[in-house]
Amino acid sequence: MSTPAGAADIVFTRHGARRGLAWLAEAYAMFRNAKLAWSMLVLFYALLLAFIASISVVGPFVMWALKPLFAVGMLAAAWTQERGGRPGLPQLFQGFKSNVGALIALGLVFVAGLVAAWYITSLVDGGALVELSQSRNAATDAGDANADERVIEALITSGRLQRSALILMLLVLPTYLALFFAPALVVFQDAGPVAALGASLRAALANWRPLIIYTLAVVALGPLLVLTIIQLGITVFPSTTTIGVLRIGLFVYGLMFAATLQISDYVCYRDIFHAGETLSPLGRS
């Protein structure tokens, strides 16, 4: 396949708002058909990212820079399953086998976008959100199991931090949209990094209706649902046993939810950039 000359040469489909929920439903159906394989893949991926992030000083930057390469691995796993194969750990490293330079370039753009967003936010709020993040990381490194709960409580009770978080999200949004489909475009359509970023941003903006529904559903089924369950559990049954049961249940739910999100990245891409196309069969090794 020839490399597109630019973002404008990459064709995509504009969908209605209802497709946002359909993407999640289709992704969950794929997860349900390979629960164990996807759970193991996502768990290994999370542990790998945590290990990379734990590397002193450069760890977090390396982790974010490598995200597009690992994203390709998840896309490859979903692509394989859709064609009758089985998701597996070797597929996680598929992004390290081809188009590596372009994918690393995407990772560097991601890091630059995040750094710029955090820097501008710190100028606005005097570094309050950065300080909260640093205190959370320090507490986690010290083995404090309640660090995340305190961060959530601070965000809930502080209007200043809520405004800072909103500013950060708005600043990160253009980078996120530009990178949403970019790794898939690099690998599946052999696009260069600039063309992939441009096409991803154009397609995301054109499909803002389903993406808003998709995002609202993710927020509702993710952090809002989790926070509600935790609050109800602690309020109604305030005991150590309840907290333990909640943690186990939320861990299982978290694996399912994370896997569904990873699969949904592929489902979204396929539906927007390859709508109506017939699936190609798996190649024989």
Side-chain angles (χ1 to χ4, degrees):
M1 181 182 297
S2 60
T3 304
D9 299 307
I10 299 177
V11 179
F12 59 84
T13 302
R14 190 192 307 265
H15 289 288
R18 287 182 295 179
R19 288 304 298 165
L21 292 177
W23 293 334
L24 282 174
E26 292 173 21
Y28 176 71
M30 290 180 66
F31 167 78
R32 191 176 55 202
N33 290 331
K35 297 185 187 73
L36 182 59
W38 275 108
S39 296
M40 294 300 295
L41 183 60
V42 168
L43 180 59
F44 179 80
Y45 177 46
L47 292 174
L48 180 59
L49 289 183
F51 171 75
I52 295 173
S54 68
I55 299 173
S56 179
V57 183
V58 299
F61 296 99
V62 173
M63 180 191 72
W64 289 113
L66 293 179
K67 284 279 284 182
L69 285 87
F70 289 123
V72 167
M74 291 297 185
L75 292 168
W79 186 93
T80 299
Q81 181 188 355
E82 194 176 44
R83 287 155 180 78
R86 185 173 180 79
L89 293 180
Q91 291 158 350
L92 183 60
F93 302 97
Q94 190 68 35
F96 293 84
K97 297 180 180 179
S98 62
N99 302 89
V100 177
L103 292 171
I104 290 177
L106 295 182
L108 295 177
V109 170
F110 194 20
V111 171
L114 289 176
V115 171
W118 275 99
Y119 177 71
I120 296 172
T121 303
S122 68
L123 294 179
V124 175
D125 70 357
L129 197 61
V130 172
E131 183 179 344
L132 178 66
S133 176
Q134 290 175 340
S135 64
R136 179 262 178 197
N137 292 337
T140 302
D141 292 341
D144 186 349
N146 299 316
D148 289 332
E149 285 81 353
R150 282 200 296 275
V151 168
I152 293 171
E153 182 180 357
L155 287 172
I156 292 174
T157 57
S158 173
R160 181 189 181 193
L161 288 174
Q162 290 173 7
R163 288 190 295 272
S164 298
L166 178 59
I167 291 170
L168 178 64
M169 286 188 292
L170 291 175
L171 291 171
V172 169
L173 184 60
T175 301
Y176 177 74
L177 293 178
L179 282 154
F180 193 68
F181 302 113
L185 290 168
V186 166
V187 172
F188 292 131
Q189 300 200 31
D190 201 27
V194 175
L197 289 166
S200 177
L201 184 58
R202 289 177 62 243
L205 292 176
N207 284 277
W208 66 270
R209 292 178 180 85
L211 282 175
I212 285 179
I213 299 299
Y214 170 86
T215 302
L216 291 175
V218 168
V219 172
L221 295 172
L224 285 183
L225 179 60
V226 169
L227 288 174
T228 301
I229 292 174
I230 291 174
Q231 189 62 43
L232 286 176
I234 294 176
T235 302
V236 179
F237 303 104
S239 66
T240 304
T241 302
T242 300
I243 294 174
V245 171
L246 279 175
R247 284 180 174 171
I248 294 173
L250 290 175
F251 174 76
V252 174
Y253 179 78
L255 280 180
M256 179 206 73
F257 186 68
T260 300
L261 284 185
Q262 294 293 338
I263 300 168
S264 71
D265 286 348
Y266 171 77
V267 174
C268 293
Y269 164 77
R270 179 204 61 199
D271 196 35
I272 289 176
F273 290 93
H274 299 278
E277 291 186 11
T278 303
L279 299 181
S280 60
L282 283 173
R284 295 184 178 276
S285 56

